[in-house]
């Protein structure tokens, strides 16, 4: 349906109106939240709050109707009740608006004849007026470059990841969660019922979008399976595509039907489609963040051989099982290398110097720890270093001290800066609120240094395994 | 080997000495940490720090040797280097000590002839002196009733769970993590190389221990497979037994060998043994905490039919897939019940009132939320209520406000107190440090009310599924 030119109005508006603004709520409602989000995202153009009563909000004049906006108007965010929506779309058409996004729900997803009729009606009006619709029943667009957003705390900086999401709630959570994990976005689109702009339109647009290097998607159901199949194959041929399918069980499909009115389709057909297209499948939103972090921060390694640095025998055993279960290799180290590694460490510590190398208490001995990590990085027999920092192993501290953790990570970061060996960091065994504070501070430090961080060995293992399989498959195809 | 009387000296000492105390370290070393742990755990008897130089620490007199202790001495915690250990054990024998636990490593686990010889030597001395040994290469015993502990911040209150753990690091982390999740312990034993007291001794003791209602274990390898097999069958016939096997991959087994010197054995044999014995198997320590929370707080439901209350369509879809994938049922609700539930909710919210019931924004409408939860609890067609509070779904707040979350949970707790329907709470979509603070505050509130809490839908689903399978199997056996 839509070429790229067609959706440019969605991602590059010069002016935005918000319909449904109220000045007398105790807490910000959704319309006021959109206003705050646009202000915080530094939207680079006029913002027009709309309410029939007029007035002012946050120092911005409120207009009674979109038609009263003095200049041209590109984009409208609609937060008014469903019954009033047809008139709003008519007014938008009269005003020459290019795109409208609808937070408003109460359309086809509620399963009533009236809901379906209303949704068809606004589509008709929009088509005649040359307006593209996002939603209804969605959060709309977060596009940092354009200053569009649906949450006031999202990063203002752009990045290479696009995320399309049929669920508004999952879009809100995932964007925030992934941002905290170090992911930056070109575009996020929560598109709800997909009455007009749908998953295939978005995939086609993003395939050609030079600002998007990676496409992530949460899909509940499809409008047109054949078109989607074609769009997803093209997208995955052009750039990495990762997808999570909501409603992959019978009861899940029922929940989908009443959520976005979509037909969930069979899990088996879906799996086959993704595999053939070369899409990376994930089962949870947290797994989606893990694989994005990996794609963004981990250079493609030469193979699946891990060199693991650990702290504590039990943590090393658990980590090893997780890595190997995910299809990664931990080759035993040659005797000569083991002797060299052991030479850096105090001899009475009872450490295992194999693979993993268990640093145990000598994590704190920074020069020894540095030498171990550097030596393992220089060894050609491993392709990726995994530096594991379990925060729970110390008896004296209910919460592992942040300053200790930072010092320990400095060695990993120093080696990362000095060598080309791909490296990941795992921070786990997180118990208290204070240890989460430590974990997140450590993660941000690693992220700034360009090292991907995971919060469990199993999530690290799964993400690295998927990443390697993706690249191995592509290499095979290219041969 | 050991009857219950035999290990009573391990769990009920009247006096404790700590060998290897130092007064001139910048930070507490391990011996000083044990001292702090005993003081904080309110050990109800004399504590004797030991160091050849004498002196005083934390206002307690230091004795040069265990033989210099003025009164009788039951228990010794050993933190001195391996080479000095034989003399210490000789001194303990002379003093009439009943049990010694060894933090000290550098014995059979280091794979040298000398390490094995030294371990055999201390076992010989101990046997001749009538002393039981815990370890070497372990953290030893946490027994709140006796005031024994290896970390200063562990709860002083006892509980019904025993945990035996071949890894010291995993024992430290898991005890703290599980305690925070609401688990209280009768005994935790980190037993390392198991030179004397081993997994079978402990299982036999705990099978007969009236203070232990549930046995959890992290096992890396066995001293005597046949004896263990018998011990675990007897234990599992008497009370719920949950086990995690460390070293279930080839590389993991190699890590085990250099960690505790144990033979890991084949994963298939292990799985078969546990299944036949009726043990609940888990793959991670976090899963172990999930199943303990379930066993402790969830009454046995009549069946696997969940009634799910959710917030937001996307979160409901993801939750439903997780529940059903774990083998739980979410039956569609009868039309009459759906109409009743819908009558409590505002009609323009576009909510799905099926199973899950999506409360969305009406979570805040406390009387509506209460009526929905109460009505679902009263419905005979579901066996367990799952109340899901995703903290990430709100756009206005980077972190979901704690006071809102508490108010929302009050409805669940009120219904829990008014009905007999088993209930669980899932708190997820946790992003920032502040949202962890909210999550943990909510968890503690639920825990006080006797409701189990999980931090992801998939971990809740897995734990409930395992819990139901365990009870179904037992019911079948009883028939």
């Amino acid at each position: 349906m839509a070429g790229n030119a067609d959706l440019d109005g969605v991602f590059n508006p010069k002016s935005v109106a918000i319909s449904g603004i109220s000045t007398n709520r105790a807490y910000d409602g959704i319309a006021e939240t959109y206003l705050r989000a646009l202000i915080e995202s530094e939207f680079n153009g006029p913002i027009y709050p709309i309410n029939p009563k007029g007035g002012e909000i946050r120092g911005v004049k409120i207009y009674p109707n979109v038609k009263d906006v003095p200049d041209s108007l590109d984009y409208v965010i609609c937060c008014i009740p469903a019954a009033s929506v047809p008139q709003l779309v008519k007014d938008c058409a009269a005003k020459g608006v290019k795109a409208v996004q609808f937070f408003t729900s109460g359309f086809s997803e509620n399963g009533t004849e009236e809901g379906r009729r209303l949704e068809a009606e606004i589509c008709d009006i929009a088509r005649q007026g040359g307006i593209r619709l996002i939603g209804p029943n969605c959060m709309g667009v977060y596009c940092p470059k354009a200053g569009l957003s649906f949450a006031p705390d999202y990063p203002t900086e752009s990045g290479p990841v696009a995320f399309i999401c049929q669920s508004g709630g999952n879009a809100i959570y995932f964007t925030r969660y992934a941002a905290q994990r170090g992911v930056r976005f070109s575009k996020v689109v929560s598109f709800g019922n997909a009455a007009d702009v749908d998953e295939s339109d978005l995939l086609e647009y993003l395939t050609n979008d030079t600002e998007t290097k990676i496409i992530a998607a949460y899909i509940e159901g499809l409008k047109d399976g054949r078109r989607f199949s074609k769009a997803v194959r093209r997208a995955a041929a052009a750039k990495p595509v990762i997808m999570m399918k909501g409603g992959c069980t019978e009861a899940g499909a029922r929940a989908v039907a009443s959520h976005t009115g979509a037909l969930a389709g069979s899990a088996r057909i879906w799996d086959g489609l993704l595999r053939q297209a070369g899409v990376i499948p994930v089962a949870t939103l947290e797994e989606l963040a893990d694989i994005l972090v990996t794609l963004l921060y981990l250079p493609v390694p030469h193979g699946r051989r891990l060199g693991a640095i650990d702290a504590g025998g039990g943590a090393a055993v658990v980590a090893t099982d997780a890595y190997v279960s995910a299809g990664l290799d931990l080759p035993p180290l040659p005797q000569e290398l083991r002797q060299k590694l052991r030479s850096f460490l105090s001899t009475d510590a009872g450490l295992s110097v194999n693979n993993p190398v268990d640093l145990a208490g000598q994590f704190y001995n920074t020069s020894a720890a540095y030498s171990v990590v550097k030596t393992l990085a220089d060894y050609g027999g491993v392709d990726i270093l995994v530096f594991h920092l379990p925060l729970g192993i110390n008896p004296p501290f209910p919460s592992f001290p942040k300053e200790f953790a930072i010092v320990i990570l400095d060695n990993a970061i120093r080696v990362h800066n000095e060598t080309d060996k791909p490296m990941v960091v795992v921070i786990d065994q997180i118990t208290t609120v204070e240890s989460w504070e430590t974990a997140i501070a450590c993660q941000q430090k690693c992220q700034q240094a360009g090292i991907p961080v995971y919060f469990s060995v199993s999530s690290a293992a799964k993400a690295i395994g998927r990443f390697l399989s993706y690249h191995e498959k592509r290499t095979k195809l290219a041969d």
Side-chain angles (χ1 to χ4, degrees), chain A residues 156-171:
Chain A
T156 53
E157 35 162 352
S158 284
V161 176
F163 178 49
I164 62 173
C165 184
Q166 213 155 349
S167 153
N170 287 349

PDB file of all heavy atoms in Angstrom, chain A residues 156-171:
ATOM      1  N   THR A 156      16.362  11.632  24.443  1.00  0.00           N
ATOM      2  CA  THR A 156      16.194  12.537  23.302  1.00  0.00           C
ATOM      3  C   THR A 156      17.168  12.190  22.177  1.00  0.00           C
ATOM      4  O   THR A 156      17.009  12.667  21.066  1.00  0.00           O
ATOM      5  CB  THR A 156      16.420  14.009  23.717  1.00  0.00           C
ATOM      6  OG1 THR A 156      17.685  14.078  24.374  1.00  0.00           O
ATOM      7  CG2 THR A 156      15.337  14.489  24.659  1.00  0.00           C
ATOM      8  N   GLU A 157      18.163  11.359  22.469  1.00  0.00           N
ATOM      9  CA  GLU A 157      19.084  10.975  21.394  1.00  0.00           C
ATOM     10  C   GLU A 157      18.526   9.823  20.569  1.00  0.00           C
ATOM     11  O   GLU A 157      17.835   8.952  21.074  1.00  0.00           O
ATOM     12  CB  GLU A 157      20.494  10.630  21.908  1.00  0.00           C
ATOM     13  CG  GLU A 157      20.533   9.953  23.228  1.00  0.00           C
ATOM     14  CD  GLU A 157      21.852   9.237  23.532  1.00  0.00           C
ATOM     15  OE1 GLU A 157      22.738   9.122  22.674  1.00  0.00           O
ATOM     16  OE2 GLU A 157      21.950   8.754  24.667  1.00  0.00           O
ATOM     17  N   SER A 158      18.852   9.861  19.281  1.00  0.00           N
ATOM     18  CA  SER A 158      18.423   8.821  18.350  1.00  0.00           C
ATOM     19  C   SER A 158      19.376   7.656  18.378  1.00  0.00           C
ATOM     20  O   SER A 158      20.481   7.749  18.920  1.00  0.00           O
ATOM     21  CB  SER A 158      18.393   9.372  16.929  1.00  0.00           C
ATOM     22  OG  SER A 158      17.283  10.188  16.749  1.00  0.00           O
ATOM     23  N   GLY A 159      18.972   6.550  17.784  1.00  0.00           N
ATOM     24  CA  GLY A 159      19.836   5.386  17.646  1.00  0.00           C
ATOM     25  C   GLY A 159      19.372   4.559  16.467  1.00  0.00           C
ATOM     26  O   GLY A 159      18.437   4.937  15.763  1.00  0.00           O
ATOM     27  N   PRO A 160      20.005   3.406  16.255  1.00  0.00           N
ATOM     28  CA  PRO A 160      19.763   2.641  15.031  1.00  0.00           C
ATOM     29  C   PRO A 160      18.620   1.640  15.077  1.00  0.00           C
ATOM     30  O   PRO A 160      18.380   0.940  14.108  1.00  0.00           O
ATOM     31  CB  PRO A 160      21.097   1.920  14.833  1.00  0.00           C
ATOM     32  CG  PRO A 160      21.646   1.747  16.205  1.00  0.00           C
ATOM     33  CD  PRO A 160      21.124   2.879  17.040  1.00  0.00           C
ATOM     34  N   VAL A 161      17.911   1.537  16.226  1.00  0.00           N
ATOM     35  CA  VAL A 161      16.903   0.480  16.367  1.00  0.00           C
ATOM     36  C   VAL A 161      15.495   1.017  16.142  1.00  0.00           C
ATOM     37  O   VAL A 161      15.106   2.018  16.748  1.00  0.00           O
ATOM     38  CB  VAL A 161      16.983  -0.169  17.769  1.00  0.00           C
ATOM     39  CG1 VAL A 161      15.870  -1.212  17.953  1.00  0.00           C
ATOM     40  CG2 VAL A 161      18.343  -0.804  17.992  1.00  0.00           C
ATOM     41  N   ALA A 162      14.725   0.357  15.261  1.00  0.00           N
ATOM     42  CA  ALA A 162      13.295   0.651  15.148  1.00  0.00           C
ATOM     43  C   ALA A 162      12.525  -0.450  15.848  1.00  0.00           C
ATOM     44  O   ALA A 162      12.935  -1.612  15.818  1.00  0.00           O
ATOM     45  CB  ALA A 162      12.881   0.719  13.688  1.00  0.00           C
ATOM     46  N   PHE A 163      11.447  -0.075  16.523  1.00  0.00           N
ATOM     47  CA  PHE A 163      10.610  -1.065  17.211  1.00  0.00           C
ATOM     48  C   PHE A 163       9.167  -0.815  16.835  1.00  0.00           C
ATOM     49  O   PHE A 163       8.658   0.294  17.035  1.00  0.00           O
ATOM     50  CB  PHE A 163      10.803  -0.931  18.730  1.00  0.00           C
ATOM     51  CG  PHE A 163       9.947  -1.868  19.555  1.00  0.00           C
ATOM     52  CD1 PHE A 163       9.883  -3.227  19.275  1.00  0.00           C
ATOM     53  CD2 PHE A 163       9.218  -1.382  20.638  1.00  0.00           C
ATOM     54  CE1 PHE A 163       9.103  -4.090  20.049  1.00  0.00           C
ATOM     55  CE2 PHE A 163       8.443  -2.242  21.420  1.00  0.00           C
ATOM     56  CZ  PHE A 163       8.386  -3.596  21.120  1.00  0.00           C
ATOM     57  N   ILE A 164       8.534  -1.821  16.260  1.00  0.00           N
ATOM     58  CA  ILE A 164       7.098  -1.691  15.972  1.00  0.00           C
ATOM     59  C   ILE A 164       6.356  -2.651  16.890  1.00  0.00           C
ATOM     60  O   ILE A 164       6.790  -3.778  17.115  1.00  0.00           O
ATOM     61  CB  ILE A 164       6.764  -1.929  14.483  1.00  0.00           C
ATOM     62  CG1 ILE A 164       7.120  -3.342  14.033  1.00  0.00           C
ATOM     63  CG2 ILE A 164       7.491  -0.908  13.612  1.00  0.00           C
ATOM     64  CD1 ILE A 164       6.650  -3.671  12.620  1.00  0.00           C
ATOM     65  N   CYS A 165       5.242  -2.160  17.443  1.00  0.00           N
ATOM     66  CA  CYS A 165       4.621  -2.879  18.562  1.00  0.00           C
ATOM     67  C   CYS A 165       3.114  -2.730  18.517  1.00  0.00           C
ATOM     68  O   CYS A 165       2.601  -1.622  18.556  1.00  0.00           O
ATOM     69  CB  CYS A 165       5.178  -2.302  19.873  1.00  0.00           C
ATOM     70  SG  CYS A 165       4.589  -3.175  21.331  1.00  0.00           S
ATOM     71  N   GLN A 166       2.424  -3.867  18.455  1.00  0.00           N
ATOM     72  CA  GLN A 166       0.976  -3.811  18.363  1.00  0.00           C
ATOM     73  C   GLN A 166       0.331  -3.432  19.693  1.00  0.00           C
ATOM     74  O   GLN A 166      -0.828  -3.049  19.725  1.00  0.00           O
ATOM     75  CB  GLN A 166       0.467  -5.179  17.890  1.00  0.00           C
ATOM     76  CG  GLN A 166      -0.768  -5.092  17.043  1.00  0.00           C
ATOM     77  CD  GLN A 166      -0.894  -6.283  16.119  1.00  0.00           C
ATOM     78  OE1 GLN A 166       0.030  -7.060  15.969  1.00  0.00           O
ATOM     79  NE2 GLN A 166      -2.036  -6.408  15.489  1.00  0.00           N
ATOM     80  N   SER A 167       1.096  -3.527  20.782  1.00  0.00           N
ATOM     81  CA  SER A 167       0.541  -3.223  22.099  1.00  0.00           C
ATOM     82  C   SER A 167       1.099  -1.917  22.635  1.00  0.00           C
ATOM     83  O   SER A 167       2.314  -1.709  22.653  1.00  0.00           O
ATOM     84  CB  SER A 167       0.885  -4.363  23.070  1.00  0.00           C
ATOM     85  OG  SER A 167       0.929  -3.882  24.396  1.00  0.00           O
ATOM     86  N   GLY A 168       0.198  -1.044  23.113  1.00  0.00           N
ATOM     87  CA  GLY A 168       0.643   0.230  23.678  1.00  0.00           C
ATOM     88  C   GLY A 168       1.414   0.044  24.973  1.00  0.00           C
ATOM     89  O   GLY A 168       2.471   0.633  25.184  1.00  0.00           O
ATOM     90  N   GLY A 169       0.876  -0.809  25.845  1.00  0.00           N
ATOM     91  CA  GLY A 169       1.533  -1.053  27.138  1.00  0.00           C
ATOM     92  C   GLY A 169       2.918  -1.645  26.956  1.00  0.00           C
ATOM     93  O   GLY A 169       3.886  -1.217  27.599  1.00  0.00           O
ATOM     94  N   ASN A 170       3.037  -2.629  26.068  1.00  0.00           N
ATOM     95  CA  ASN A 170       4.348  -3.236  25.831  1.00  0.00           C
ATOM     96  C   ASN A 170       5.321  -2.240  25.193  1.00  0.00           C
ATOM     97  O   ASN A 170       6.526  -2.297  25.448  1.00  0.00           O
ATOM     98  CB  ASN A 170       4.204  -4.486  24.950  1.00  0.00           C
ATOM     99  CG  ASN A 170       3.594  -5.652  25.715  1.00  0.00           C
ATOM    100  OD1 ASN A 170       3.469  -5.599  26.941  1.00  0.00           O
ATOM    101  ND2 ASN A 170       3.187  -6.691  25.008  1.00  0.00           N
ATOM    102  N   ALA A 171       4.785  -1.331  24.363  1.00  0.00           N
ATOM    103  CA  ALA A 171       5.648  -0.302  23.753  1.00  0.00           C
ATOM    104  C   ALA A 171       6.196   0.639  24.821  1.00  0.00           C
ATOM    105  O   ALA A 171       7.383   0.983  24.825  1.00  0.00           O
ATOM    106  CB  ALA A 171       4.875   0.480  22.698  1.00  0.00           C
TER     107      ALA A 171
END
